[in-house]
């Protein structure tokens, strides 16, 4: 979603950001009172664009700018880790009072409010081509649906806003059942898929969502519902376990081992028909694959994470920021890659904190591009300049890089490319040495704290794996294997030659998702929808590679609703289980 060319219009609509100490009702009423009305908006394509831009701008001006997004979606997962100061709340399961979770609740509702308002006023315009109006309304429906999708997965039953506050006069809505919220999401996306331009249409604007975005998200929504509705006791195998074994007083990384978990019922999805929902997931995914909603294809791996390719067909929906703008910037590059001491410098000044664990790294074949190219192997922090130091990852590269094994015993000469640098290479068992992704490295100025970034919410690879998942659950394991292999082939991974059992394929596809979408905010939600979140988190045995607490209880299945919302909204009289 490209914002930097649309900001000037957005400012007319987004007149304030959301204070963290204000309830949704208070904030949206305040925003309504200061709203610049439709009499000041032209009945023209430019007027339509202004409304749509106002909706889109919420992602940066109201959510991503403060760096709560995407961390709020990402940090509570089995394979994700980082320093204690960053992970001690969200990453350690301590959700109550976390400012990012206030934003997680209020930000999407602000977007929903703006989308309702935009639809109301665009619908009244008489001087604009119907197809243009319909496309704009479809974009608003998509944004509203996605906001509800974020909320219902995170909070369970939630309020539904049929109208914007400036029209209805209030936000005080009671929480609606999960199934009812999904009905609204499906209705919005179904309408959006028929109203928006396809990405091949000459009227389509690069960086906007399209009909294919809605169809692809529909497939993901149906798959989420279907997996959550699968019977309790359904088996899923995950490669996991404690990060270390201790021998002779030393901690040694251990390889992940396969553990089979039995699914627990996911509250709110019990009465849904999993097979019928998987049929719908397969149907919508196949429509996208067959090109009914525009042409989509995977980007070659070497181009996939280049910023110049963030508008490729693979990137179906995401948030793009601009460099150095005080309002429309994000911390994605800083958090995942780190910014340099100076442009082009080898030394990271700050950041590069969030990474993946040893268990995750060892899910891959040795030749898989997602670790050979997708993980940072040698890097340097500013404080290592004075002694010519550098970190490396993984520990198993010790002989290659230093000539010594993990116990410090000299084995052989290091590889020439590392020996010739003369650097003092280090590895330690802390948050300094994790499997750090390279997905967000490519920026124009790597010394800028808030460099431009693209955060993908939906990729074509996701649609392919959703289709594989649905076909497997429908009994078509050979078809599932075929589409799983399409994703694997792009990354030079070993291809499956014979489909396994339904349970084995289910587990393989879920693991493929963990590999393909690492550091894209999907892992927690995959574990939740499959009813194995608690088992997967607790299988780590308490503390992960960076000594972050991964023990979880039932209360962690849902996020707590912000306390000020409970205090102000008389229609919500209790929080989610386990939260005050």
């Amino acid at each position: 979603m490209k914002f930097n060319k649309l900001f000037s219009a957005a400012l007319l609509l987004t007149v304030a950001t959301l204070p963290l100490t204000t309830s949704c009702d208070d904030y949206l009423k305040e925003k309504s009172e200061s709203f610049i009305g439709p009499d000041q908006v032209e009945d023209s394509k430019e007027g339509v664009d202004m409304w749509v831009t106002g909706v889109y701008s919420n992602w940066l001006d109201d959510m991503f700018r403060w760096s709560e997004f995407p961390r709020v979606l990402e940090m509570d997962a089995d394979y994700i880790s980082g320093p204690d100061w960053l992970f001690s709340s969200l990453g350690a399961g301590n959700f109550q009072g976390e400012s990012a979770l206030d934003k997680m609740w209020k930000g999407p509702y602000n977007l929903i409010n703006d989308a309702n308002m935009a639809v109301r006023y665009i619908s009244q315009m008489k001087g604009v081509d119907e197809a243009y109006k319909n496309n704009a309304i479809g974009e608003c429906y998509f944004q509203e649906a996605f906001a509800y999708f974020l909320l219902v997965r995170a909070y369970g039953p939630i309020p539904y806003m049929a109208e914007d506050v400036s029209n209805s006069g209030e936000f005080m809505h009671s929480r609606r059942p999960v199934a009812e919220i999904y009905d609204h999401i499906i209705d919005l996306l179904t309408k959006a898929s028929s109203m928006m331009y396809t990405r091949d249409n000459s009227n389509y604007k690069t960086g906007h969502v399209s009909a294919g975005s809605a169809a692809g998200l529909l497939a993901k929504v149906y798959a989420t519902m279907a997996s959550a509705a699968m019977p309790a006791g359904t088996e899923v195998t995950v490669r996991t376990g404690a990060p270390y074994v201790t021998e002779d007083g030393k901690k040694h990384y251990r390889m992940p081992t396969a553990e089979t978990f039995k699914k627990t019922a996911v509250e709110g999805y019990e009465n849904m028909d999993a097979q019928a929902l998987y049929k719908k997931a397969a149907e919508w995914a196949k429509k996208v694959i067959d090109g009914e909603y525009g042409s989509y294809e995977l980007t070659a791996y070497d181009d996939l994470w280049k910023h110049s390719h963030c508008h490729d067909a693979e990137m179906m929906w995401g948030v793009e920021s601009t460099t150095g703008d005080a309002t429309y910037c994000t911390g994605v590059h800083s958090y995942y890659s780190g910014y340099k001491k100076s442009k082009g410098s080898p030394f990271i000044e700050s950041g590069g904190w969030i990474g993946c664990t040893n268990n995750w790294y060892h899910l891959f074949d040795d030749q898989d591009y997602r670790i050979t190219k997708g993980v940072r192997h040698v890097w340097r922090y500013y404080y290592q300049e004075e002694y010519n130091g550098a970190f490396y990852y993984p520990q198993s590269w010790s002989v290659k890089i230093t000539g010594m094994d993990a116990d410090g015993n000299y084995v052989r000469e290091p590889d020439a490319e590392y020996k010739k640098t003369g650097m003092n290479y280090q590895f330690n068992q802390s948050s300094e040495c994790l499997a750090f992704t390279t997905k967000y490295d490519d920026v124009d100025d790597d010394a800028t704290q808030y460099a431009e970034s693209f955060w993908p919410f939906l990729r074509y690879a996701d649609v392919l794996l959703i289709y594989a998942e649905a076909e497997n659950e429908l009994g078509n394991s050979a078809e599932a294997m075929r589409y799983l292999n399409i994703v694997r082939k792009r990354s030079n991974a070993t291809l499956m030659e014979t489909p396994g059992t339904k349970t084995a394929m289910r587990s393989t596809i879920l693991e493929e998702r963990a590999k393909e979408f690492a550091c894209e905010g999907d892992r927690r939600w995959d574990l939740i929808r499959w009813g194995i979140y608690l088992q997967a988190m607790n299988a780590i045995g308490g503390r992960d590679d960076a000594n972050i607490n991964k023990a979880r209880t039932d209360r962690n299945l849902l996020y707590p609703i912000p306390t000020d919302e409970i205090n102000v909204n008389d229609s919500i009289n209790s929080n989610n289980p386990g939260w005050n």
Side-chain angles (χ1 to χ4, degrees), residues 8 10 29 96 115 197 199 215 273 318 339 350 353 361 376 429 433 468 492:
S8 58
K29 282 183 177 178
Q96 194 88 56
Y197 300 130
R199 66 182 314 275
D273 185 335
Y339 60 92
S350 185
W353 300 301
Y361 187 88
R376 183 197 307 164
Q429 294 172 329
C433 290
N492 197 39

Side-chain angles (χ1 to χ4, degrees), residues 283-433:
E283 173 190 332
W284 280 98
K286 196 62 163 61
K287 287 179 178 181
V288 175
I289 292 166
D290 289 344
E292 290 188 31
Y293 291 93
S295 301
Y296 291 93
E297 61 182 356
L298 297 179
T299 299
Y301 189 86
D302 284 346
D303 292 328
L304 179 59
W305 299 109
K306 291 179 180 177
H307 196 79
S308 59
H309 286 264
C310 71
H311 297 301
D312 282 7
E314 171 149 1
M315 303 300 187
M316 301 177 74
W317 153 230
V319 173
E320 184 184 8
S321 67
T322 189
T323 298
D325 189 291
T327 301
Y328 301 105
C329 61
T330 76
V332 170
H333 173 72
S334 293
Y335 274 92
Y336 290 90
S337 300
Y339 60 92
K340 299 297 181 63
K341 191 172 180 179
S342 59
K343 190 172 182 179
S345 167
F347 296 100
I348 296 172
E349 180 71 14
S350 185
W353 300 301
I354 301 176
C356 296
T357 63
N358 184 67
N359 277 347
W360 175 83
Y361 187 88
H362 283 97
L363 300 177
F364 293 87
D365 307 320
D366 289 343
Q367 80 284 359
D368 195 312
Y369 294 153
R370 292 171 295 190
I371 56 168
T372 62
K373 301 179 182 183
V375 167
R376 183 197 307 164
H377 291 291
V378 174
W379 65 98
R380 310 178 74 184
Y381 289 110
Y382 69 94
Y383 54 81
Q384 293 175 304
E385 184 174 11
E386 62 184 68
Y387 61 90
N388 199 28
F391 285 115
Y392 67 88
Y393 191 90
Q395 188 178 31
S396 58
W397 278 31
S398 180
V399 173
K400 176 189 296 191
I401 289 181
T402 69
M404 294 182 287
D405 64 20
D407 292 322
N409 301 309
Y410 183 79
V411 176
R412 63 169 174 82
E413 286 285 297
D415 288 3
E417 64 180 299
Y418 301 109
K419 182 179 179 180
K420 68 182 180 182
T421 67
M423 287 192 289
N424 298 304
Y425 290 102
Q426 303 167 275
F427 180 91
N428 63 40
Q429 294 172 329
S430 77
S431 62
E432 289 180 307
C433 290

Side-chain angles (χ1 to χ4, degrees), residues 507-522:
S507 305
T508 298
I509 293 165
L510 183 61
E511 183 173 293
E512 194 69 25
R513 293 184 61 82
K515 294 188 287 187
E516 180 66 24
F517 305 119
C519 297
E520 295 181 49
D522 255 2

Side-chain angles (χ1 to χ4, degrees), residues 9-295:
L11 295 178
L12 292 175
L13 294 178
T14 307
V15 295
T17 54
L18 183 59
L20 293 180
T21 57
T22 305
S23 70
C24 276
D25 184 63
D26 289 340
Y27 171 67
L28 293 176
K29 282 183 177 178
E30 179 183 334
K31 184 173 181 180
S32 176
E33 289 168 1
S34 61
F35 170 67
I36 297 174
D39 57 322
Q40 295 173 266
V41 179
E42 290 184 13
D43 183 355
S44 64
K45 287 185 176 181
E46 290 73 22
V48 170
D49 291 346
M50 194 200 81
W51 285 107
V52 174
T53 301
V55 175
Y56 281 145
S57 68
N58 281 280
W59 287 104
L60 289 171
D61 187 30
D62 222 22
M63 287 184 273
F64 268 78
R65 175 159 58 121
W66 305 110
S67 299
E68 278 91 354
F69 275 75
R71 292 185 296 118
V72 68
L73 303 173
E74 171 82 340
M75 291 171 64
D76 180 43
D78 53 348
Y79 295 142
I80 297 291
S81 193
D84 180 75
W85 63 265
L86 181 61
F87 275 72
S88 60
S89 53
L90 273 175
N94 303 318
F95 301 157
Q96 194 88 56
E98 167 59 47
S99 64
L101 289 179
D102 276 9
K103 188 68 73 172
M104 176 70 184
W105 175 268
K106 297 168 185 174
Y109 274 117
N110 187 32
L111 187 152
I112 289 165
N113 182 73
D114 282 1
N116 280 333
M117 191 187 308
V119 168
R120 181 158 61 89
Y121 284 116
I122 292 171
S123 299
Q124 296 171 12
M125 291 185 177
K126 304 296 184 184
V128 183
D129 174 77
E130 282 299 310
Y132 199 88
K133 283 173 55 177
N134 284 340
N135 178 73
I137 291 170
E139 291 187 66
C140 295
Y141 284 158
F142 177 94
Q143 296 297 327
E144 185 178 352
F146 189 73
Y148 278 122
F149 187 46
L150 290 178
L151 288 163
V152 74
R153 290 186 303 172
Y155 297 98
I158 54 171
Y160 177 73
M161 289 180 64
E163 297 179 279
D164 56 277
V165 169
S166 61
N167 196 46
S168 67
E170 65 173 357
F171 175 75
M172 302 291 191
H173 303 289
S174 60
R175 299 172 74 181
R176 307 303 305 157
V178 166
E180 186 176 319
I181 298 299
Y182 273 109
D183 284 345
H184 291 306
I185 293 170
I186 290 167
D187 178 57
L188 288 166
L189 289 174
T190 303
K191 289 189 292 190
S193 70
S194 66
M195 297 174 76
M196 284 192 286
Y197 300 130
T198 67
R199 66 182 314 275
D200 305 320
N201 189 299
S202 60
N203 293 307
Y204 169 72
K205 294 178 181 178
T206 300
H208 287 241
V209 290
S210 66
S213 308
L217 184 57
L218 258 176
K220 187 165 187 170
V221 167
Y222 277 122
T224 298
M225 298 167 69
S227 53
M230 290 285 282
T234 298
E235 293 187 342
V236 184
T237 299
V238 175
R239 285 196 277 172
T240 184
Y244 306 111
V245 293
T246 303
E247 296 177 357
D248 302 324
K250 294 181 179 180
K251 291 192 302 184
H252 299 272
Y253 281 111
R254 59 179 290 282
M255 296 295 287
T257 55
E259 295 194 28
T260 299
F261 305 132
K262 292 186 181 295
K263 180 183 185 291
T264 57
V266 183
E267 189 172 351
Y269 299 79
E270 301 91 340
N271 297 321
M272 298 181 186
D273 185 335
Q275 288 294 295
L277 290 166
Y278 266 127
K279 286 180 181 177
K280 298 296 289 186
E283 173 190 332
W284 280 98
K286 196 62 163 61
K287 287 179 178 181
V288 175
I289 292 166
D290 289 344
E292 290 188 31
Y293 291 93
S295 301

Side-chain angles (χ1 to χ4, degrees), residues 79 235-239 258 363 365 370 465 468-469 472-473 477 480-485 487-488 493-517 523 526 530 532:
Y79 295 142
E235 293 187 342
V236 184
T237 299
V238 175
R239 285 196 277 172
L363 300 177
D365 307 320
R370 292 171 295 190
L465 290 180
E469 177 183 321
N472 181 62
E473 299 303 333
S477 57
M481 183 186 73
R482 176 187 171 198
Y483 283 88
L484 172 66
N485 277 340
V487 176
R488 286 188 167 180
T494 302
L495 303 184
M496 290 187 70
E497 296 181 357
T498 306
T501 64
K502 181 182 286 190
T503 299
M505 284 294 292
R506 173 187 305 131
S507 305
T508 298
I509 293 165
L510 183 61
E511 183 173 293
E512 194 69 25
R513 293 184 61 82
K515 294 188 287 187
E516 180 66 24
F517 305 119
R523 180 62 176 175
D526 276 349
W530 273 109
I532 59 168

